Amino acid sequence: MSEFDKYATPLSSRYASKEMSAVFSLRNRFSTWRKLWLNLAIAEKELGLDVITDSAIEQMKQHLTITDEEIAAASKQEAIVRHDVMAHVHTFGESCPDAAGIIHLGATSCYVTDNADLIFLRDAYDLVIPKLVNVIDRLSKFAMEYKDLPVLGWTHFQPAQLTTLGKRTTLWIQELLWDLRNFVRARNDLGLRGVKGTTGTQASFLSLFHGDHDKVEALDKRVTELLGFDTVYPVTGQTYSRKIDIDALAPLASFAATAHKMATDIRLLANLKEVEEPFEKSQIGSSAMAYKRNPMRCERVCSLARHLGSLFSDAVQTSSVQWFERTLDDSAIRRISLPGAFLTTDILLSTLLNISSGLVVYPKVIARRIKSELPFMATENIIMAMVEKNASRQDVHEQIRVLSHQAAAVVKEEGGDNDLIERIKKDEFFKPIWGELDTLLEPSTFVGRAPQQVEKFINNDVKNALAPHATMINDVEVKLNV
């Protein structure tokens, strides 16, 4: 059977980076189990278990990366014993005959499966955090470039007071900064399950060390150190609490909301022809409509963001139904949801990196839209200017109301342009301010402190947040897999 005759998840086969796919690959999983067995043996030997020889340790070190042939052999063994961990204990022992009798000594299956999962969660976060840092950095440069460019604001997707394109971008960046904070917290909060035994009591290890509690505690600490973790969970059942999975996936689900919102905004702007995602020279937007420039990158972000958000419920539901020290109904779903969440996050960030590196802005379209709406927004300024010329506010308000309704009718009923200002220029009532109208309609006077807010936010909040991650920032071009 060809590989093309079997289903493969698009997450790994179509979209995700090779680095993230490798984290959750079978080779990495089984090689990590071997690393865990090696470090357990090293720590046990250091604490006085003479049954573990130097040759056993050396052979284990030489076979840490599992081969294709060993994976196949373990698969055959699992079909016989119906236990994946014991199949790999057997296969590892065949490759390391001097260690065959001490591999997995005192441990339960969750020593390798759970500790490996925690290592994968840590390593996966180490891949997505730099990508998020670079998305923020690239959007920050975009925000500064367009901090002064007035754009029509939208509330309820109805025209509202002007803002700037840079200020709108800071709204995306601020949420991404919170996501970065959450990613880092979740990553640094991860501990190791350590060596806890079958129900978390460490009874098997207490027996190995003939009742020496200090050595059992030292073993737990030493294995944690050897595996590069600062903390070990002080108590567990057979598994580490599945609430840890909730804490690991919650920041990813929150990020999914940020990504979806940002991509949706860009899709709407593309429809308005104000801002577009990158569009490659030979890219085809539609098989039938050759002129189309579909926002396929942002649509992909929205699609996968919805999927990522839904995976969080897997962790919540799984944690809530664990019985006592453990139950196995967590296993199958975690094999899907944990890798799936990080693969999806990786894809979203790669796509956002591509988008944020090549956003296309159309200032003339933006200016034309502002021009069509600004006369209505300028009415308060016109009223104030007339009052300064000793006109009655109520009289001016009534004149503006009548002319505004007339102009609105031209726009809505006749499909014409907004001619409110032309009407004002022809109405003798407003003659005292005719010479001030151009100044009153200058778009930059309607954006408030938006440019200053952008500068302060980027130069303070963003700069401070990215400072600990400065070495991660790069200008590498990101090309999408498909």
Side-chain angles (χ1 to χ4, degrees), residues 230-287:
D230 297 326
T231 59
V232 61
Y233 297 121
V235 293
T236 73
Q238 188 173 93
T239 67
Y240 70 78
S241 170
R242 296 311 183 216
K243 194 172 182 66
I244 301 301
D245 293 344
I246 297 177
D247 291 347
L249 265 58
L252 307 185
S254 183
F255 161 70
T258 302
H260 200 296
K261 193 264 193 250
M262 174 181 165
T264 299
D265 283 352
I266 296 173
R267 290 168 67 189
L268 293 170
L269 290 170
N271 174 264
L272 297 172
K273 297 180 175 59
E274 293 187 0
V275 179
E276 287 182 345
E277 65 177 40
F279 195 89
E280 296 174 20
K281 184 177 180 180
S282 59
Q283 183 175 331
I284 296 174
S286 169
S287 61

Side-chain angles (χ1 to χ4, degrees), residues 44 46 66 76 81 87 103 119 135 162 179-180 231-232 237 258 267 280 300 306 320 325 357 384 413 476:
E44 289 174 334
E46 289 177 354
I66 194 169
K76 290 180 180 178
V81 301
I103 295 172
I119 291 170
V135 170
L162 300 191
D179 293 322
L180 177 60
T231 59
V232 61
T258 302
R267 290 168 67 189
E280 296 174 20
R300 177 182 298 178
R306 292 196 299 271
S320 68
E325 280 65 48
S357 300
M384 294 299 99
E413 297 174 16
V476 175

Side-chain angles (χ1 to χ4, degrees), residues 43 47 192 194-196 202 214-232:
L47 289 166
L192 200 68
V195 288
K196 296 297 194 295
Q202 298 177 309
D214 290 339
K215 283 193 174 182
V216 174
E217 290 189 7
L219 178 68
D220 207 10
K221 181 180 179 181
R222 181 61 177 144
V223 169
T224 301
E225 292 173 349
L226 288 170
L227 289 163
F229 279 78
D230 297 326
T231 59
V232 61

